[in-house]
Amino acid sequence: MKFVFFNSYYDANNGMELCHKLGGKYHVCPKHWIAHQKEIYRDIDQCDMVIVWNSLEPCTYWIKDICHQLNKKYLFLEYGFIPQKGYYHLDSKGIIKHSSLNDSLDWLTDDMANQSEEYIANFLDQKKWRDRGNEYILCPLQLPWDCSIYLCSKYKTMDEFVKDVIDLYPEDKIIVTPHPLLRKNDVLKDPEILSKIILDLKNCTMHLAQKAKAVVGINSTVLYESLALGKKTIALGECPIKTHNGDRKLALCSIHKQFKHLDTDKFLSIIDYFTKIVEI
């Protein structure tokens, strides 16, 4: 099976190692795409499957249009769910608000659900456990400049998001955890908001989630781990978790779309399964 990979980012190589292991061709950066249109048409025409990193950037629409013109199948690739690091996932429609996980989850069979539960049990066994509790609202932050925020939510800053959480839970203690890539001084700016929450810069979000009454986020993949943990999970941004009202079945489904980043056998089995049940 011949693959062509497209990365919609200018300064990243997401999926490049996977592409090379599969013997595929890799195109990075929309400026490159425009400068090499003939080459891109030829590569898509000669391949069996197109893989596009991220579905949110407008430049990916052009690749989809070419695939439709040439009657070629395509899938979208992004980081994993449970966990995100070291894993990728595939989707026939896109990511976050475009994801096919927003659709019916009835394709999950009992056997698949059992496999997911076993995977989750093994995943959670690797965590350092604390006593379960019901003590506070946990609020994990995201990178405000990420396309998952400005294209899949109403928020422009993390202060706006935390203010909404405060308004939703005025009587509850709220613990906020920053994104690991955010510097301390860039987390929250509003002194009034900072006075109403506890900003935890030390503890792992999953450790804190164990004692949380609920985990409230925008559309972070941390929310999938919260679902796996069995916690009440609420998403305020556009994403499958909001679509399905925090249904834990979503976590079980997500596992069947993900694979370790260089596990080409699992990658191919996911493609084989989902191209049979989903029109791409």
Side-chain angles (χ1 to χ4, degrees):
M1 198 171 193
K2 293 182 180 179
F3 294 95
V4 180
F5 282 65
F6 291 93
N7 186 353
S8 57
Y9 293 137
Y10 290 89
D11 56 354
N13 59 357
N14 303 313
M16 182 182 286
E17 287 183 278
L18 175 65
C19 173
H20 290 164
K21 189 173 180 181
L22 289 163
K25 294 192 175 182
Y26 192 88
H27 294 277
V28 64
C29 173
K31 286 184 178 179
H32 168 85
W33 302 355
I34 294 170
H36 298 82
Q37 292 186 44
K38 289 184 178 180
E39 179 185 350
I40 284 172
Y41 268 89
R42 183 199 66 214
D43 287 349
I44 292 177
D45 189 42
Q46 293 177 356
C47 80
D48 300 301
M49 174 74 72
V50 173
I51 306 294
V52 183
W53 181 269
N54 188 301
S55 69
L56 298 177
E57 298 292 348
C59 57
T60 63
Y61 302 161
W62 181 60
I63 299 300
K64 286 169 59 177
D65 287 343
I66 297 174
C67 290
H68 287 304
Q69 291 171 29
L70 299 175
N71 196 28
K72 294 294 179 177
K73 294 180 178 180
Y74 57 87
L75 288 171
F76 295 96
L77 182 70
E78 250 290 355
Y79 289 120
F81 296 110
I82 306 171
Q84 182 190 67
K85 187 176 181 180
Y87 282 75
Y88 292 142
H89 81 270
L90 286 164
D91 196 279
S92 59
K93 292 187 175 181
I95 67 169
I96 311 179
K97 70 177 182 179
H98 296 153
S99 172
S100 65
L101 287 172
N102 289 293
D103 301 335
S104 171
L105 306 177
D106 290 345
W107 51 265
L108 186 77
T109 65
D110 289 343
D111 284 345
M112 294 171 76
N114 291 335
Q115 292 168 19
S116 294
E117 292 290 8
E118 182 178 352
Y119 174 91
I120 287 173
N122 291 332
F123 170 72
L124 295 178
D125 279 346
Q126 300 170 25
K127 299 295 178 181
K128 185 176 180 181
W129 287 100
R130 301 180 177 187
D131 294 332
R132 298 288 185 101
N134 192 34
E135 300 177 7
Y136 45 74
I137 304 299
L138 180 63
C139 184
L141 302 184
Q142 293 174 238
L143 297 173
W145 55 82
D146 191 86
C147 60
S148 64
I149 301 301
Y150 64 79
L151 293 176
C152 300
S153 82
K154 66 179 182 179
Y155 301 112
K156 296 180 180 178
T157 68
M158 290 299 101
D159 290 87
E160 293 176 2
F161 162 58
V162 175
K163 183 180 184 304
D164 274 358
V165 178
I166 293 170
D167 291 343
L168 286 170
Y169 299 95
E171 305 300 323
D172 289 285
K173 179 166 72 173
I174 297 173
I175 295 182
V176 173
T177 55
H179 190 281
L181 297 181
L182 272 179
R183 295 179 302 176
K184 180 179 177 181
N185 293 337
D186 292 333
V187 177
L188 296 170
K189 303 292 188 183
D190 190 324
E192 183 178 354
I193 289 175
L194 285 166
S195 70
K196 295 179 179 179
I197 58 98
I198 298 170
L199 184 61
D200 193 315
L201 301 174
K202 295 181 179 180
N203 291 298
C204 167
T205 300
M206 276 294 282
H207 290 167
L208 291 169
Q210 294 167 33
K211 287 192 174 184
K213 175 180 178 181
V215 180
V216 184
I218 301 176
N219 48 37
S220 170
T221 53
V222 168
L223 299 180
Y224 285 87
E225 296 185 358
S226 171
L227 285 178
L229 192 60
K231 287 294 179 177
K232 181 178 181 181
T233 305
I234 298 168
L236 301 185
E238 300 305 315
C239 65
I241 292 172
K242 183 178 182 180
T243 301
H244 294 288
N245 297 312
D247 187 347
R248 190 172 178 276
K249 184 178 181 181
L250 181 62
L252 305 184
C253 289
S254 70
I255 288 163
H256 289 278
K257 288 178 173 278
Q258 72 174 30
F259 60 98
K260 286 187 178 180
H261 79 290
L262 290 180
D263 186 347
T264 53
D265 289 340
K266 184 63 182 294
F267 169 85
L268 293 171
S269 71
I270 293 173
I271 286 179
D272 181 63
Y273 183 79
F274 282 102
T275 53
K276 288 177 180 175
I277 68 168
V278 179
E279 183 180 350
I280 298 175

